[in-house]
Amino acid sequence: MDHEVRRVRITAALLLAGACSAAHPLATPVLAAHRVLFIGNSLTAVNDLPATLSAIATAAGDTLRVAAVVGPGLALIDHYNGATQALAAIGEGGWDYVVLQQGPTSTGGVCEDSLVLWTDLFDARIRAVGATTALFMVWPDRSRFAYFDNVRTAYQHAARAVHGVFLPAGEAWRSAWAVAPTLPLYGPDDFHPSPAGTFLAALEIYERLTGRDVRTLEPVAFANGAPLVLPADTVRLLQAAAHDANQRFPAGVAAVPFDRMVPVGAVSATGSGTTGC
């Protein structure tokens, strides 16, 4: 789907969301307690994505309990090999979902293969406690913007390999930029998310994990688990972008990708975590 079609579709969704909210009260939420464990690095920790997700749920009248095991620059294999207490946290049980995140994994080849392997290792532990594995697609740093498709396909393949849930948060960023290209979703370092970038990622994850259309929520924003001041029309745009990404990229089946910008394996992989894989 090209840029202009996405822009028109999201703009229409914004208009529809406004009309619906004016005509009808907020839909009655599904009052179910969801427990979600995040395992990742600073892309999850900056602006406290788990707490932001929980704040969205609370404002919506829902219940979503979160926990996180994160560390700067860590790849999934670092967590698995004992750099953190990730395996112990999984073993505590009681989770509905365990969300896995590492660096962009944008260079394909060894990095993508490793992500699939590491996800498979974690999945055995996750399924042993009755939870479902979810893959949180992030984004490349601004200097590697052309690698967005590679990031997505790497996370899609890892999710498919374990019959897990694909969380296209990075694609929600692109959906938002299709309508408002100057939205500040990157933070000052052009890699970690801004508060608005974290909020948008949390919206996408909330909708996918709960099944609730985020366009029906009130136009309020959060970051670091606390209110974030954003104009209502900006919040509506971000809600529509989150929904658009979830519509374009199903939870468990890889959608037809955009035209690949860089062939998989064209760039050699170095290191791990956020600086390499």
Side-chain angles (χ1 to χ4, degrees):
M1 184 179 300
D2 62 27
H3 176 95
E4 181 61 19
V5 171
R6 294 204 310 279
R7 185 189 68 78
V8 171
R9 195 163 103 183
I10 297 171
T11 302
L14 286 169
L15 295 173
L16 178 61
C20 289
S21 62
H24 303 286
L26 190 67
T28 302
V30 178
L31 297 178
H34 306 278
R35 295 197 68 219
V36 183
L37 172 65
F38 286 82
I39 296 173
N41 54 39
S42 56
L43 295 176
T44 292
V46 168
N47 307 313
D48 202 339
L49 172 64
T52 300
L53 176 65
S54 181
I56 291 170
T58 298
D62 204 349
T63 302
L64 200 155
R65 304 187 189 283
V66 298
V69 180
V70 296
L74 296 182
L76 290 177
I77 195 62
D78 300 318
H79 287 284
Y80 195 87
N81 284 340
T84 68
Q85 295 299 308
L87 295 182
I90 293 170
E92 291 175 4
W95 310 110
D96 295 297
Y97 296 96
V98 177
V99 177
L100 304 179
Q101 173 267 313
Q102 65 172 27
T105 313
S106 61
T107 55
V110 172
C111 280
E112 182 175 323
D113 292 344
S114 298
L115 176 61
V116 173
L117 173 62
W118 303 336
T119 297
D120 186 62
L121 292 173
F122 268 104
D123 184 68
R125 302 294 189 107
I126 292 166
R127 293 192 181 276
V129 297
T132 298
T133 300
L135 274 293
F136 166 26
M137 175 209 165
V138 289
W139 42 82
D141 67 78
R142 194 185 295 272
S143 70
R144 290 191 171 194
F145 198 86
Y147 291 78
F148 242 104
D149 293 340
N150 299 60
V151 178
R152 185 194 66 252
T153 55
Y155 278 86
Q156 281 179 312
H157 292 165
R160 281 200 302 167
V162 298
H163 302 286
V165 175
F166 176 56
L167 304 172
E171 287 295 345
W173 281 30
R174 289 217 284 190
S175 290
W177 281 326
V179 177
T182 61
L183 270 176
L185 301 180
Y186 282 115
D189 66 356
D190 287 337
F191 181 41
H192 291 88
S194 69
T198 293
F199 174 58
L200 176 51
L203 282 171
E204 181 280 316
I205 293 171
Y206 176 74
E207 179 173 280
R208 176 127 293 172
L209 296 188
T210 67
R212 185 168 183 184
D213 187 336
V214 293
R215 298 173 302 171
T216 68
L217 305 183
E218 295 293 336
V220 293
F222 302 91
N224 288 298
L228 172 66
V229 178
L230 286 178
D233 59 348
T234 299
V235 177
R236 287 298 186 204
L237 188 156
L238 297 178
Q239 291 170 338
H243 182 77
D244 178 70
N246 280 328
Q247 290 297 298
R248 289 190 296 118
F249 298 98
V253 180
V256 176
F258 291 106
D259 292 335
R260 184 174 297 282
M261 299 175 189
V262 180
V264 171
V267 181
S268 61
T270 59
S272 64
T274 57
T275 57
C277 291

